[in-house]
Amino acid sequence: MMCTWRFIAALFLLLTCAARASEIEPPPVPLASTYQQGVVLEDYWVSEKLDGVRAYWNGHAFLSRNGNVYRAPDWFMARLPDIHLDGELWMGRQRFAELSGAVRKQVPVDAEWRRIRFYVFDLPGAGPFYERYDQLQALVGHADSPYLKLVQQKPTSSHSALMADLDRVIAEGGEGLMLKRWESPYEAGRSDDLLKVKAFDDAEAVVVEHIAGKGRLQGMMGALKVELPNGRRFRIGTGFSDEIRAHPPAPGTRITFKHFGLTATGLPRFASFLRVRDDEPPEP
């Protein structure tokens, strides 16, 4: 009888934890559109696009865009402010794979998290962005946490100046730029209030099938057949290291690829593999 009651108690605890986890809704974050020449740049501020993991701090936990929890160490979160913040967990340029491996662990590794910083770029709430950014500057300036940093914003005025900034960031190992309309409200969803500026387009797809390699690639993966969110499928055959070709991402894996516009049939032109997009923490 005692074993039965212990089993029931354990089952109740498991169901309670699952129910609490399901109560966490995805945070209502703004999403970026793609910059096109002709935008009135005087309406925007520019910052570096960090190659990190989007994280929403709700005052006591880091949430992914899908509402899953990044298991940060208690000491990392201990001195963060008890308010909502929108930003990125970042380890530095060209370290996305290392970062995503660290933040997805259910049991955080202290040595890895000591190399991570939470860079905030917006303050969820009312008022135009320039007012929210002023509040962020004051907040980070007086914060008692070495792990809280501010994404620096500056005005931009012309396409040529923007492209010069882009060339500089890429030459230094960065990924691109972000444009934020300085009068914009904090609103969920994709809009022109937030724009990404890159030397190429990027998108995500799900791996459907491995295509066997030929010649030098005999015995390895030659290409991936992938599926876009709209259901259309195509192949990606470039951008892979030999290590990835020998151990390709499994079907069902979400990847990021770069491309240069669309073909006449609406498929990505010159698509090339960038990375496995595994920044979402496992669901409880």
Side-chain angles (χ1 to χ4, degrees):
M1 180 65 71
M2 182 63 68
C3 291
T4 302
W5 279 110
R6 285 178 178 172
F7 172 77
I8 293 174
L11 181 60
F12 176 79
L13 179 61
L14 178 63
L15 293 175
T16 300
C17 291
R20 288 175 178 170
S22 66
E23 291 172 0
I24 300 177
E25 296 183 357
V29 297
L31 301 175
S33 298
T34 301
Y35 168 75
Q36 301 290 339
Q37 189 172 357
V39 168
V40 181
L41 289 172
E42 289 83 357
D43 294 342
Y44 290 85
W45 287 345
V46 63
S47 62
E48 180 174 346
K49 184 181 187 299
L50 303 182
D51 187 18
V53 168
R54 182 75 173 270
Y56 187 96
W57 172 251
N58 67 3
H60 58 85
F62 288 109
L63 303 181
S64 72
R65 283 194 303 177
N66 290 335
N68 294 316
V69 177
Y70 292 112
R71 307 291 177 181
D74 289 341
W75 53 261
F76 188 95
M77 302 182 290
R79 290 183 283 176
L80 294 179
D82 188 18
I83 60 173
H84 289 213
L85 297 169
D86 193 359
E88 297 240 342
L89 294 169
W90 196 51
M91 200 179 265
R93 291 167 173 163
Q94 300 183 355
R95 299 180 70 178
F96 176 81
E98 184 182 357
L99 171 73
S100 63
V103 301
R104 294 179 71 249
K105 292 176 180 174
Q106 289 296 293
V107 179
V109 176
D110 286 353
E112 294 174 338
W113 276 88
R114 287 196 173 92
R115 297 195 296 271
I116 297 173
R117 300 294 183 267
F118 180 43
Y119 275 81
V120 292
F121 47 65
D122 210 338
L123 183 66
F129 176 64
Y130 67 87
E131 289 183 358
R132 302 196 306 273
Y133 188 69
D134 282 345
Q135 295 171 31
L136 273 180
Q137 285 182 304
L139 177 71
V140 175
H142 293 89
D144 188 30
S145 171
Y147 304 104
L148 182 65
K149 302 294 181 181
L150 180 68
V151 174
Q152 297 297 323
Q153 305 275 348
K154 69 175 184 178
T156 187
S157 59
S158 68
H159 176 74
S160 59
L162 187 67
M163 292 300 101
D165 273 344
L166 178 63
D167 290 343
R168 174 186 56 78
V169 166
I170 291 177
E172 293 172 355
E175 185 178 80
L177 302 173
M178 298 297 295
L179 291 171
K180 181 71 173 179
R181 199 189 306 269
W182 58 272
E183 289 188 315
S184 62
Y186 188 90
E187 291 183 346
R190 203 171 300 279
S191 75
D192 289 342
D193 288 341
L194 184 64
L195 301 172
K196 58 184 177 181
V197 186
K198 303 183 71 172
F200 51 81
D201 297 320
D202 62 3
E204 295 182 357
V206 174
V207 175
V208 174
E209 181 184 347
H210 299 160
I211 308 300
K214 298 178 181 179
R216 186 186 76 81
L217 301 179
Q218 186 75 32
M220 296 192 290
M221 178 270 293
L224 292 178
K225 180 181 286 187
V226 300
E227 182 174 295
L228 295 169
N230 63 9
R232 297 197 66 182
R233 297 183 175 186
F234 68 103
R235 293 185 181 187
I236 298 177
T238 62
F240 305 103
S241 66
D242 284 352
E243 173 66 21
I244 293 177
R245 290 188 183 278
H247 306 283
T253 302
R254 189 163 52 106
I255 68 166
T256 300
F257 63 93
K258 68 178 181 180
H259 64 100
F260 297 86
L262 302 176
T263 66
T265 61
L267 289 175
R269 185 190 304 275
F270 305 128
S272 178
F273 175 82
L274 272 179
R275 57 177 170 260
V276 172
R277 193 71 201 188
D278 56 354
D279 55 346
E280 193 70 31
E283 296 185 11

